[in-house]
Amino acid sequence: MARNFRRPRTAQPIADLNVTNMIDLGFTLLIIFMISTPLLIQEQSIKVNLPVESVRPQEKSDNTPVQTIAIDKTGAVFWGTRKVTLAELATLMTEADKKTVPPIISIKPDGDAKVQAFVSVMDEYKKHPNLMKQKFSIATQPTK
């Protein structure tokens, strides 16, 4: 008697899943990522001349008066609405630092502002310990 090894015919579809194509796709993607990763790392190692800043720890505290320092795209610094030099900014920050309740400093740099101007303002800010005890903010705008 001969055996029949064929599947019996049924009205239902066969539910077998052929994963060979998915394994080929997985290996192809793996090879692509293995080749492209070193290129991405090489691209991210661009040499940049960073601005200079002195090192000083930053402290935090709570209070309500707010003083705005704005930096426009040319690098000019404004104390509120008054244009000041870095020397005048140092004097104004020293006066604010001596108050019994120092103001919260809010810096509003222009998106195209010179980085060195921002770092100079931050460097001056860090020289005043009573101002550093207050909250600090850098104004930004949300992405669209």
Side-chain angles (χ1 to χ4, degrees):
M1 170 185 254
R3 286 194 116 173
N4 186 1
F5 290 103
R6 293 185 182 187
R7 289 187 186 183
R9 293 193 181 251
T10 59
Q12 297 177 352
I14 299 173
D16 291 340
L17 182 64
N18 188 357
V19 294
T20 306
N21 295 334
M22 285 191 284
I23 292 173
D24 290 344
L25 177 64
F27 282 129
T28 304
L29 290 174
L30 179 66
I31 291 170
I32 290 171
F33 288 129
M34 287 173 56
I35 291 171
S36 64
T37 301
L39 298 175
L40 292 175
I41 293 172
Q42 183 181 14
E43 183 178 319
Q44 293 175 357
S45 63
I46 298 171
K47 303 293 181 202
V48 177
N49 185 14
L50 295 176
V52 181
E53 175 190 16
S54 65
V55 178
R56 186 174 277 228
Q58 187 173 8
E59 301 173 16
K60 297 179 182 178
S61 181
D62 293 331
N63 224 338
T64 53
V66 176
Q67 178 60 50
T68 302
I69 300 172
I71 304 170
D72 69 1
K73 64 181 172 182
T74 63
V77 179
F78 294 85
W79 179 265
T81 57
R82 188 177 122 205
K83 186 176 181 178
V84 295
T85 64
L86 288 177
E88 292 172 329
L89 180 66
T91 305
L92 291 169
M93 282 191 171
T94 302
E95 292 172 5
D97 192 44
K98 291 179 181 177
K99 293 182 180 179
T100 55
V101 180
I104 297 171
I105 300 296
S106 175
I107 298 182
K108 294 184 177 182
D110 187 278
D112 298 324
K114 296 179 181 177
V115 176
Q116 186 60 54
F118 175 74
V119 172
S120 298
V121 170
M122 288 299 300
D123 197 29
E124 188 59 43
Y125 168 76
K126 290 179 182 180
K127 293 178 184 176
H128 302 284
N130 287 335
L131 290 177
M132 288 185 57
K133 289 180 183 176
Q134 298 299 337
K135 288 182 179 177
F136 172 77
S137 70
I138 299 174
T140 59
Q141 62 182 356
T143 57
K144 294 179 181 179

